[in-house]
Amino acid sequence: MTRLNALRAFVLVLLLAFAGLAAAQANLEINTPAIAALQRSMQERHAQLQPLYASGAVGLTRDGNVALRDANAVPLAQRAQVNALVAAENQDRAALYREIARANGKPEWESDIRATFAQRWIDKAQPGWYYQNASGAWVRK
Amino acid sequence: MVRRIAIAAATFAAAATACTAWLAHAKEISLEVDDIVAPAFSARSVRASLSGPGMRELALRIERLTVGGRDWRKVSLTCADLQTSGSRVSCTRGVLDVGEKIPLSFSYASDRGDLTAELKPAADETWQVSGRLAGARTALAARLVNAKLERFNTLLPPSAPKLTAGRASGTIDLQGSAVKARVQLDGIAFADASGLHAAEKIGGTIEVDAASEGKGWRWSTRLAWRAGELFWQPLFLAAKGQRLALEGTTGDGRSDIRSGSLELPEIGTVDLKASWDHERGVLGETEVRSARLRLGALYEQMLKPLLAQTALSDLRAEGDAAVALTASGDGLKSVNVELRAVSLEDREQRRFALFGANGRIPWRQGEATTGELTLEGAEFLKLPIGAVLIPLRLRGTGLAIGAMRVPILDGALALKDFAAGTTTEGWRWRLSGQVEPISMEKLTHAMGLPTMHGAVSGVIPDVRYGRQTLSMDGALAIKVFDGTVTAHDVQLIEPFGRAPRLHAELDMKGLDLELLTRTFDFGTITGRIDAHVAGLELVDWQPVRLDMRIESSPGTYPRRISQRAVQNISALGGAGAAAAIQRSFLRFFEQFGYARIGLSCRLRNGVCEMDGVEKAPQGYVIVKGGGIPSISVIGYNRSVSWRELVERLKRITQENVKPIVK
């Protein structure tokens, strides 16, 4: 029984090591036409999202997405548009993670790449923006 | 609201009755009651005392008061000048303390039941009730002046949006078992914590008439919405003078709306009938219908905010729809939609438009139905489309169209066996059909491309869409430049995503080079070519991978190439040949003969590995000379960046018309 557990632990360690290796080896700066198109689209949207990050209406989630945090900071008439912006941004982000994984020739790395990006977005966030900590609670940077 | 006022009145009455009772029977006046429990409220640990000179100071304290499921702790009513004479008790300087101290006055005559009470929380705010408490002949009139609505927050469930502003003024009359309310609301604002259910500056009127009938109530209500904005995820609505009138009955565990009408200014009127089972919390037989909804206003007022960031975010909508639907506890039972002269247009980007849509779309739960739509015309990516008749077959969430012909320019797209449905993985559909010849001149002109000759025609094999992938079994053939282009193994992944991905194999046979070079102003080449593109992969319509080979078609035909074409080909591949022309007698000739033309490109990671018809010293032959005078073009660059290649092609073709190469 203990031997079996030891074996399990060993396999787990091995898997984790490989997962770490995989993330380490992925080229996150890789560029393809698809990635360029997604980055362009996200860049255009960023001008609309920036004031929403600043006001705390939208925050960065721990899984590499953005989410509506507190719509009260947005004028009523624009709240539906904020929903749409968040949905469109998340669609692009999902496609970006998928494309980077594909461009690396490793579609199975998608979730690792997403996790790496989630931390990157939070590191790059400006002071005053909100992000989700590891337990999912909103924190002001 | 009506109920709350009645309860408040009843509480005063109870307090007053108790006071008179003590006066009649005791000298030492103080009273303690553990609990008072009534259906609508309960009071715990009630203490009342009379003291001071002439026993004129009343103090009534309730440890815990529960009204409608909400609690108040340490509620007190004090009166500094309680007056009693005979059966009448009154107070002009009372204070009600419910966390906030509210000045209060009241008077009550126990013999006739006459009651007046007034709460004055602020100089401009009054809550008044007057009338008679007399069993079935009870008549009370409540009057509100600028009543602050935030006071009701404590009555609302914790999950409900919190009122942050708002005033109510008006009257509520209770006559025996009939209630009549006329209330005007101003400046209402509310919001929940997430901001997904919120309103600002809401103004309007509420009128309610209700009378008990048998075991229940018969009621009618009219709401008018005059001012303000409302966001109720995902819907945003602004006041436009909308009105809702409902008439119905409540009793025996159910409410029935016998008749209702919702007036939406500029859009139309919606009539409804419905019933609600209170115990089971389910909808009974429900009917909603509108004879005429104006789609332009419906889109602007209600749908546009919902469709932001989609292809439908910037429409000009016109026309009417008649809608009728029935539903019950187990969902929708039937839907009938009739469209009349409906037009939709993508305003700024002009990606699509449809004009003059008419027809009817019937749907029944668990039944197959047939409907029909006609379009007077449409436009898709600047391509004009003629009149279309669409016969619809509906069943559940499935839609099928047997056959329809979509006229495009001088040809048509004839589609058959279209079938669509939803699955757990999203939409799925399939179709097949054929392209009846469409002139390339007209097509390229309509799309703003350099004029090409020939015609597009061919068979559309089985096309399927599902799991966000469009795939085609069989081959799609297009006749163009007097030759044929065949596409097979076509697969389009996420066609509606940000970066669609296309996989295909292309075969081109016998394209007329003269037509082709004339179109793109490349200089003139006479002859024919074949091309084969294997493993074509486009992402966001940009090639990322391909193995392309272009070469002269087999057979006998005139083969000539102009000096300009030679220069252009040289510019594409390398400098050698053009220099040769400059230096030699060859520049005196306009045209040269050739034996073969060939060029291949293996595109990987943005770099094109090039090759020609055969090897040459330090290079490869792109044009192999033949006849008199003859010329050969040699390429020396084997690796060319795809971007650079496209730039060069653009430069060459730009001088004439718009470049077509993306």
Side-chain angles (χ1 to χ4, degrees), chain A residues 32-34 37-38 40-41 45 48 68-72 76-77 79-81 83-85 88 91-92 95 98-99 102, chain B residues 191-196 198-200 229-231 233-234 236 305-306 308-309 493-494 498-499 501 539-540 542-544:
Chain A
T32 67
L38 289 163
R40 218 168 28 244
S41 151
R45 193 179 302 105
Q48 290 169 275
L68 194 62
R69 206 195 121 255
D70 179 9
N72 282 308
L76 279 188
R79 285 186 200 177
Q81 286 165 35
N83 272 331
L85 268 178
Q91 209 179 344
D92 277 5
R98 194 169 55 236
E99 286 302 328
R102 260 186 205 160
Chain B
D192 63 3
S194 63
L196 297 179
E200 277 165 16
E229 294 177 335
L230 170 76
F231 179 69
Q233 167 92 325
F236 170 78
L306 287 181
Q309 306 270 326
I493 301 162
E494 292 171 16
R498 190 72 57 186
R501 180 178 285 263
V539 177
D540 194 29
Q542 305 277 333
V544 293

Side-chain angles (χ1 to χ4, degrees), chain A residues 89-124:
Chain A
E89 176 71 10
N90 286 339
Q91 209 179 344
D92 277 5
R93 286 183 174 212
L96 180 73
Y97 306 144
R98 194 169 55 236
E99 286 302 328
I100 291 176
R102 260 186 205 160
N104 274 285
K106 299 278 177 191
E108 67 275 13
W109 287 0
E110 191 184 324
S111 60
D112 291 328
I113 287 168
R114 177 182 276 274
T116 310
F117 264 90
Q119 198 48 53
R120 264 194 174 198
W121 297 125
I122 292 170
D123 293 343
K124 277 166 59 182

